């Protein structure tokens, strides 16, 4: 059992699976994902293919991770394509929930079902984020350095083209915080966690 449990939610209740710009169901390499994204631009965000690219990037970067993709709930056409991808790859789990559920409710359920005695870290990753490098490994170094550290967020960037899927940035950047539209509506600071990793002990509190 992996010492790192990773949760990825998918949710497309009103979108049917695209029949354009299709990709294979088998695992794509990081290079193949990069070429696909660069060639297609914004069209690389079509669903469910952006989900498949995101899953492939996680498993390419951390093949030792236990990845659980939880869908709650997308259209049947999206789910059918996700099932084909999972069957072709076979190195991650796909949980299909019967009702539309909050991703945080799904997180609680997935972690409750899959956390093991040797699980040390829990990762949340969005389904349209491409992992470009082992940011979890770098975060673990920080955990080992600082025993009081409980939660780490990497910087997420759209790179040089805002139409492309977001990526975990390759290094620190001197940028201001993202001010999302819903932050204005909430009239308060909103923490938008595209990606984060926490200690097991933080979850257990």
């Amino acid at each position: 059992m992996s010492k790192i449990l990773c949760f990825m939610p998918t949710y497309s209740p009103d979108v049917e699976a695209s029949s354009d710009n299709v990709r294979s169901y088998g695992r794509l390499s990081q290079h193949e994902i990069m070429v696909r994204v660069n060639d297609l631009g914004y069209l690389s965000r079509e669903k469910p293919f952006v989900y498949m690219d995101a899953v492939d990037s996680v498993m390419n970067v951390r093949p030792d991770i236990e990845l659980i993709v939880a869908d709650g709930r997308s259209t049947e056409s999206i789910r059918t394509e996700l099932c084909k991808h999972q069957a072709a790859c076979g190195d991650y789990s796909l949980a299909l929930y019967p009702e539309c559920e909050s991703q945080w409710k799904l997180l609680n359920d997935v972690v409750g079902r899959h956390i093991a005695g040797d699980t040390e870290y829990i990762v949340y990753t969005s389904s349209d984020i491409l992992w470009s490098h082992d940011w979890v490994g770098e975060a673990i170094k920080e955990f080992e350095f600082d025993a009081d550290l409980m939660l780490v967020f990497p910087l997420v960037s759209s790179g040089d083209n805002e139409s492309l899927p977001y990526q975990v940035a390759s290094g620190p950047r001197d940028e201001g915080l993202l001010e999302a539209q819903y932050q204005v509506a909430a009239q308060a600071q909103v923490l938008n966690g595209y990606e984060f990793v926490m200690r097991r002990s933080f979850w257990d509190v």
Side-chain angles (χ1 to χ4, degrees), residues 11 55 72:
Y11 180 70
V55 169

Side-chain angles (χ1 to χ4, degrees), residues 8 49-58 126-130:
M8 177 190 291
F49 308 119
V50 67
Y51 296 158
M52 298 178 188
D53 290 345
V55 169
D56 288 354
S57 73
V58 172
S126 297
S127 55
D128 60 350
I129 302 289
L130 303 180

Side-chain angles (χ1 to χ4, degrees), residues 149-164:
L149 189 62
M150 289 291 161
L151 192 67
V152 172
F153 292 82
L155 178 66
V156 174
S157 170
S158 60
D160 297 325
N161 187 341
E162 292 186 358
S163 69
L164 299 183

Side-chain angles (χ1 to χ4, degrees), residues 28-177:
L28 296 187
S29 68
Q30 294 294 82
H31 176 71
E32 289 171 321
I33 296 171
M34 177 187 69
V35 170
R36 174 179 166 78
V37 168
N38 287 335
D39 287 349
L40 292 177
Y42 184 77
L43 295 178
S44 67
R45 297 183 63 87
E46 291 181 338
K47 298 170 181 177
F49 308 119
V50 67
Y51 296 158
M52 298 178 188
D53 290 345
V55 169
D56 288 354
S57 73
V58 172
M59 299 311 300
N60 287 335
V61 170
R62 291 293 307 216
D64 62 319
I65 211 165
E66 182 182 5
L67 174 62
I68 314 295
V69 177
D71 184 83
R73 102 166 233 172
S74 297
T75 54
E76 288 304 319
S77 62
I78 294 281
R79 288 186 160 203
T80 297
E81 296 297 290
L82 290 176
C83 287
K84 291 178 180 178
H85 180 261
Q86 192 279 331
C89 297
D91 53 359
Y92 72 96
S93 298
L94 175 62
L96 302 177
Y97 285 80
E99 304 293 339
C100 295
E101 300 282 7
S102 160
Q103 61 182 327
W104 307 116
K105 184 175 180 179
L106 297 187
L107 173 64
N108 286 332
D109 187 67
V110 165
V111 173
R113 291 174 183 270
H114 294 273
I115 199 166
D118 64 347
T119 302
E120 296 182 9
Y121 301 100
I122 299 168
V123 178
Y124 169 93
T125 182
S126 297
S127 55
D128 60 350
I129 302 289
L130 303 180
W131 288 23
S132 56
H133 65 291
D134 185 13
W135 69 272
V136 172
E138 294 302 310
I140 290 174
K141 292 178 184 178
E142 297 300 320
F143 284 125
E144 292 174 343
F145 177 77
D146 185 351
D148 294 327
L149 189 62
M150 289 291 161
L151 192 67
V152 172
F153 292 82
L155 178 66
V156 174
S157 170
S158 60
D160 297 325
N161 187 341
E162 292 186 358
S163 69
L164 299 183
Y166 288 120
Q167 304 171 42
V168 177
S170 57
R173 298 188 181 190
D174 186 13
E175 297 180 354
L177 294 176

